[in-house]
């Protein structure tokens, strides 16, 4: 007999509303805590949002950050931050550092002469050090990028809300959007708590998380709509639980397989994509959670239309393809 791995039994009877007030309290506290973390600790904005110049150095020999800092202090470059980058894939012959020089004028970047001075100063400490990459972003560009990022996340959320409203009912749209806001806030809170670099790749990860979480929620809502047609006498509470149990295997399997791929990227992808992968991994976890404990709970509290069959028979609606089971 062939072995078949099953993360979830074929038939489950979990009561997902058993701890609904506890999970609601945890979610609300986590969202409020994330906002407070951002207000108190702030975000570690990357060069995309803060402006300045970032230099990535690589050397075959080990170095001390204090020696790099001492060498650059005498150049009077202003706000300079140096961090050593650790990655298991680097081995013992690759030592990487990120040097960030804050905005010094309207251009937001160091001049070529200053760049040569930085290179010369580091060569005195480590003759084998080289610049792997140099990136500069001005303050005006940073403001535009911040504004564009906010527009992108807002437009994606509104677009998803409109889509869910047209496809289902407005209660589903509200539940889905609150779940997405929950996922985004918790991800931003994680970045604030651990002061992970928050840049354009993080925005890309947030948008991807929004899409992933929305897709997961739509699958549950689709099955719920079918069950509303199939079981007209069952309470909405029981139908919600039945739907969550029927889609649980799909939710877990999708989350686990996505997490496996992201974990491989986290281990072997290097430090360049690490923050992006961390945001995605966290987004997958909170996305699965919000699908099971946030979106459908809100829909239950607001109530939904029960008789979908009339709409299906009388108009050519998006639900006309739904199968009404005996």
């Amino acid at each position: 007999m062939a072995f078949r791995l099953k993360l979830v039994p074929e038939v489950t009877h979990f009561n997902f509303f058993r701890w609904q007030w506890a999970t609601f309290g945890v979610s609300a506290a986590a969202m409020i805590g994330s906002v407070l973390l951002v207000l108190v600790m702030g975000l570690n904005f990357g060069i995309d949002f803060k402006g300045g110049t970032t230099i990535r150095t690589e050397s075959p020999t080990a170095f001390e950050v204090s020696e790099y800092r001492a060498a650059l202090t005498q150049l009077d470059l202003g706000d300079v931050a140096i961090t050593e980058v650790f990655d298991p894939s680097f081995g013992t012959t690759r030592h990487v550092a990120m040097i960030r020089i804050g905005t010094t004028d309207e251009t937001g970047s160091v001049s070529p002469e200053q760049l040569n001075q930085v290179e010369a100063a580091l060569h005195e400490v480590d003759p084998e050090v080289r610049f792997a990459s140099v990136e500069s972003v001005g303050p005006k560009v940073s403001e535009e990028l911040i504004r564009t990022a906010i527009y992108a996340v807002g437009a994606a959320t509104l677009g998803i809300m409109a889509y869910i409203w047209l496809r289902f009912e407005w209660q589903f749209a509200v539940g889905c959007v609150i779940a997405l806001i929950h996922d985004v806030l918790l991800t931003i809170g994680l970045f604030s708590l651990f002061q992970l670099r928050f840049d354009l790749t993080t925005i890309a990860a947030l948008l991807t998380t929004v899409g992933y979480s929305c897709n997961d929620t739509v699958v549950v809502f689709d099955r719920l709509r079918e069950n509303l047609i199939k079981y007209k006498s069952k309470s909405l509470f029981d139908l919600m639980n039945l739907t969550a149990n029927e889609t649980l295997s799909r939710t877990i399997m999708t989350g686990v397989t996505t997490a496996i791929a992201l974990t491989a990227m986290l281990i072997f992808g290097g430090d360049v994509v690490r923050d992006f992968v961390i945001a995605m991994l966290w987004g997958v976890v909170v996305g699965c959670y919000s699908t099971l404990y946030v979106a459908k709970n809100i829909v239950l509290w607001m109530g939904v239309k029960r008789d979908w069959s009339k709409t299906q028979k009388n108009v050519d609606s998006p639900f006309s393809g739904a199968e009404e089971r005996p």
Side-chain angles (χ1 to χ4, degrees):
M1 178 184 294
F3 173 74
R4 296 178 60 191
L5 175 63
K6 292 182 180 178
L7 297 179
V8 180
E10 291 185 2
V11 180
T12 59
H13 301 283
F14 297 116
N15 181 4
F16 288 96
F17 293 101
R18 182 177 182 182
W19 308 106
Q20 59 174 321
W21 293 113
T23 54
F24 175 79
V26 169
S27 296
M31 292 171 70
I32 295 172
S34 297
V35 173
L36 291 177
L37 278 173
V38 174
L39 293 177
V40 175
M41 298 180 63
L43 290 169
N44 179 21
F45 285 119
I47 191 173
D48 299 334
F49 294 148
K50 199 171 182 179
T53 298
T54 296
I55 304 170
R56 178 187 172 96
T57 68
E58 293 190 8
S59 173
T61 57
F63 64 87
E64 293 291 335
V65 172
S66 58
E67 293 179 349
Y68 276 17
R69 184 174 292 110
L72 298 182
T73 300
Q74 57 187 338
L75 300 180
D76 193 23
L77 296 172
D79 182 19
V80 178
I82 306 173
T83 55
E84 187 174 2
V85 179
F86 296 98
D87 192 297
S89 64
F90 287 169
T92 58
T93 59
R94 189 181 177 193
H95 302 275
V96 179
M98 297 294 291
I99 301 174
R100 185 186 178 281
I101 303 174
T103 303
T104 56
D105 52 27
E106 292 184 354
T107 64
S109 60
V110 299
S111 63
E113 292 77 14
Q114 288 175 314
L115 201 59
N116 291 332
Q117 291 175 354
V118 171
E119 189 172 15
L122 294 180
H123 273 155
E124 292 182 3
V125 178
D126 182 3
E128 296 182 286
V129 68
R130 67 180 184 87
F131 288 0
S133 65
V134 178
E135 298 176 354
S136 297
V137 177
K140 291 183 179 179
V141 176
S142 298
E143 292 176 4
E144 292 178 4
L145 289 175
I146 292 175
R147 190 163 49 247
T148 305
I150 294 174
Y151 290 162
V153 175
T157 305
L158 290 176
I160 289 172
M161 187 173 183
Y163 166 74
I164 300 294
W165 188 352
L166 293 174
R167 185 168 172 80
F168 299 96
E169 289 283 323
W170 66 269
Q171 298 93 329
F172 290 81
V174 173
C176 184
V177 167
I178 291 178
L180 296 183
I181 293 173
H182 166 275
D183 300 343
V184 170
L185 281 181
L186 263 59
T187 304
I188 293 176
L190 180 77
F191 271 68
S192 177
L193 178 62
F194 294 103
Q195 288 296 292
L196 301 174
R197 187 177 64 246
F198 194 92
D199 52 19
L200 284 180
T201 58
T202 311
I203 297 298
L206 286 176
L207 291 173
T208 308
T209 299
V210 165
Y212 174 89
S213 180
C214 176
N215 179 62
D216 207 25
T217 304
V218 166
V219 170
V220 176
F221 285 171
D222 256 329
R223 180 60 63 90
L224 174 61
R225 186 180 55 194
E226 291 181 11
N227 285 335
L228 285 169
I229 298 172
K230 180 180 178 183
Y231 304 105
K232 293 183 172 59
S233 59
K234 273 194 173 184
S235 68
L236 185 59
F237 178 92
D238 291 335
L239 283 179
M240 288 278 194
N241 258 330
L242 175 65
T243 301
N245 278 287
E246 287 180 345
T247 56
L248 181 62
S249 177
R250 184 264 179 201
T251 299
I252 299 299
M253 286 297 296
T254 304
V256 169
T257 52
T258 306
I260 290 174
L262 291 172
T263 302
M265 288 179 62
L266 183 66
I267 296 174
F268 302 108
D271 63 291
V272 177
V273 298
R274 178 166 297 141
D275 294 340
F276 172 83
V277 175
I278 290 174
M280 283 294 303
L281 265 175
W282 180 248
V284 169
V285 174
V286 297
C288 291
Y289 170 84
S290 66
T291 298
L292 294 173
Y293 291 104
V294 178
K296 67 178 181 53
N297 291 33
I298 292 172
V299 174
L300 175 66
W301 295 337
M302 291 188 296
V304 297
K305 181 179 71 174
R306 298 299 308 268
D307 192 2
W308 294 81
S309 56
K310 288 184 177 178
T311 304
Q312 186 185 21
K313 291 174 181 176
N314 296 335
V315 300
D316 185 17
S317 73
F319 320 125
S320 58
E323 180 183 359
E324 187 168 0
R325 299 175 182 174

